[in-house]
């Protein structure tokens, strides 16, 4: 079983300004290392060997900063949305463009979330592949800036009509078939959000969901970044 990963790193990061004016959000430092490096090191520890990073805003900074991945024990490939399409394609568009570089099952994680204890565990991949689901999301308690949440969970599946809803951590497992089937009408290189395709998977009862109960931060503002740094430096 070979699993790859897509790290979403193309966004402008408007709420992180002025820090993101000169540095892409995933390359900002938190607790002693770049945000994206927390994911790279965790993926390497879990045995993932191929990681695709999609880029757009200040994308020329990523390859000099991260290289080919050898220093992390990985192969890093880049999906250049800015160079090829003039800007970020959003999550669905980014997945569709990057698909030729990914495997039959792949992790997706946003480059600007901080989840230092998450394990991209091979056993989670095995459970997912045995489930018949097209994707599985990890959901967390709703943060103050997103009180309404995104999805509920019922019988291991994501639902929209639950009384209690949680926030998607921007961590998930996806099958190639999710993109090929649900995004069949989306031309590569087209800008498109992911939510309509997640809703389509819910309708087909093929979108799994489970709770994430440990630390998670959407590092969307300078204040959240400063609060994380105030906790001190940690190593994983």
């Amino acid at each position: 079983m070979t699993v790859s990963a897509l790290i979403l790193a193309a966004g402008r990061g408007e709420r992180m300004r002025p820090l993101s004016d000169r540095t892409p959000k995933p390359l900002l430092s938190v607790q002693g290392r770049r945000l994206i490096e927390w994911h790279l090191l965790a993926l390497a520890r879990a045995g993932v060997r191929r990681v695709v990073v999609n880029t757009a805003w200040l994308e020329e900074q990523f390859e000099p900063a991260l290289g080919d991945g050898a220093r992390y024990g990985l192969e890093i490939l880049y999906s250049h949305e800015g160079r090829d399409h003039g800007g970020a394609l959003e999550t669905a568009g980014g997945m569709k463009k990057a698909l030729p570089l990914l495997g039959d099952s792949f992790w997706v994680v946003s480059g600007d979330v901080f989840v230092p204890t998450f394990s991209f565990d091979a056993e989670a991949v095995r459970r997912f592949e045995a489930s018949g689901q097209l994707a599985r999301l990890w959901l967390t308690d709703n943060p103050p800036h997103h009180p309404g949440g995104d999805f509920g969970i019922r019988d291991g599946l994501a639902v929209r009509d639950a009384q209690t809803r949680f926030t998607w951590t921007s961590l998930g497992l996806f099958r190639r078939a999710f993109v090929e089937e649900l995004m069949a009408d989306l031309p590569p290189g087209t800008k498109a959000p992911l939510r309509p395709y997640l809703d389509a998977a819910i309708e087909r009862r093929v979108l799994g969901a489970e709770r994430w109960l440990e630390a998670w931060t959407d590092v969307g503002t300078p204040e959240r970044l400063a609060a994380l740094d105030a906790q001190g430096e940690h190593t994983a």
Side-chain angles (χ1 to χ4, degrees):
M1 177 184 61
T2 301
V3 64
S4 52
L6 172 62
I7 301 181
L8 303 168
R12 169 65 176 85
E14 291 285 352
R15 293 174 301 155
M16 188 60 87
R17 298 182 69 185
L19 299 180
S20 60
D21 287 342
R22 295 186 177 183
T23 305
K25 258 200 306 184
L27 295 185
L28 292 170
S29 178
V30 59
Q31 295 188 6
R33 61 171 57 119
R34 295 180 179 97
L35 263 170
I36 197 170
E37 288 182 314
W38 289 92
H39 297 325
L40 293 173
L41 292 167
L43 287 162
R45 283 196 303 273
V48 178
R49 290 295 170 256
R50 169 172 286 197
V51 175
V52 179
V53 178
N54 76 329
T55 63
W57 175 248
L58 300 175
E59 67 183 1
E60 69 279 359
Q61 294 187 24
F62 281 91
E63 289 187 61
L66 306 176
D68 62 3
R71 78 188 72 164
Y72 308 105
L74 299 165
E75 175 192 26
I76 297 179
L77 303 176
Y78 297 91
S79 180
H80 296 292
E81 297 174 13
R83 180 194 69 190
D84 296 344
H85 306 288
L89 300 176
E90 298 192 42
T91 304
M95 289 174 64
K96 187 68 178 268
K97 175 178 172 60
L99 189 64
L101 304 175
L102 297 165
D104 291 335
S105 295
F106 54 92
W107 291 97
V108 172
V109 57
S110 175
D112 60 0
V113 296
F114 184 62
V115 232
T117 61
F118 190 85
S119 174
F120 297 89
D121 186 29
E123 179 55 34
V125 178
R126 281 190 285 270
R127 292 197 310 270
F128 168 65
E129 291 186 335
S131 71
Q133 298 164 358
L134 292 186
R136 179 174 294 172
L137 310 181
W138 274 256
L139 308 180
T140 191
D141 291 339
N142 300 326
H145 61 274
H146 192 54
D150 297 307
F151 306 104
I153 303 175
R154 187 180 301 131
D155 299 325
L157 296 173
V159 296
R160 287 175 296 180
D161 59 354
Q163 184 173 359
T164 301
R165 302 203 305 177
F166 307 99
T167 293
W168 183 31
T169 60
S170 296
L171 281 154
L173 275 166
F174 289 79
R175 292 183 196 267
R176 173 175 290 271
F178 179 97
V179 180
E180 292 177 339
E181 295 178 18
L182 299 183
M183 300 183 193
D185 61 345
L186 181 66
T190 303
K191 183 176 180 179
L194 184 61
R195 180 59 190 257
Y197 301 102
L198 295 177
D199 287 342
I202 287 175
E203 292 298 323
R204 290 177 52 176
R205 297 182 56 82
V206 291
L207 182 62
E210 58 185 87
R211 293 287 307 280
W212 174 248
L213 300 174
E214 299 182 37
W216 172 86
T217 303
D218 168 13
V219 191
T221 66
E223 293 76 18
R224 289 181 217 152
L225 183 66
L228 287 171
D229 273 338
Q231 297 173 10
E233 291 192 7
H234 301 280
T235 57

